[in-house]
Amino acid sequence: MLRAEAVAAAETVLLCVQYYAAAGAVVAGAFLLLGIARVSPEAGGSYLFRLLLAPGIIGLWPLVLWRWIALERKRGARGAAR
């Protein structure tokens, strides 16, 4: 009985990790295609550099998404003030 509960718990943890990685892959794809040139204009044409960033973005996607949104809001407020 305990073994079945442990397997179910492990499967639940694995499913959560898979969902986290899938969300990270979506954010990484969007950020590397659309956002990186806006956040760092120097990285505009460096496609191999983007591939190197992908694993880190997948792992840290909540932080990347939060910073990207904050920078876009700041950019929008700056543009509205003009």
Side-chain angles (χ1 to χ4, degrees):
M1 187 56 93
L2 181 62
R3 190 172 193 98
E5 291 172 358
V7 169
E11 288 175 347
T12 302
V13 169
L14 185 59
L15 186 63
C16 290
V17 169
Q18 288 174 340
Y19 283 139
Y20 185 89
V26 170
V27 170
F31 180 74
L32 293 175
L33 289 175
L34 306 171
I36 196 165
R38 293 179 62 95
V39 172
S40 178
E42 298 85 22
S46 54
Y47 297 106
L48 291 176
F49 174 68
R50 294 177 187 204
L51 288 176
L52 291 173
L53 291 178
I57 294 172
I58 290 171
L60 298 172
W61 72 266
L63 178 63
V64 171
L65 187 61
W66 174 66
R67 278 298 289 157
W68 186 16
I69 290 170
L71 287 171
E72 289 296 325
R73 284 184 181 163
K74 190 166 102 175
R75 184 180 309 242
R78 199 175 2 163
R82 289 182 182 177

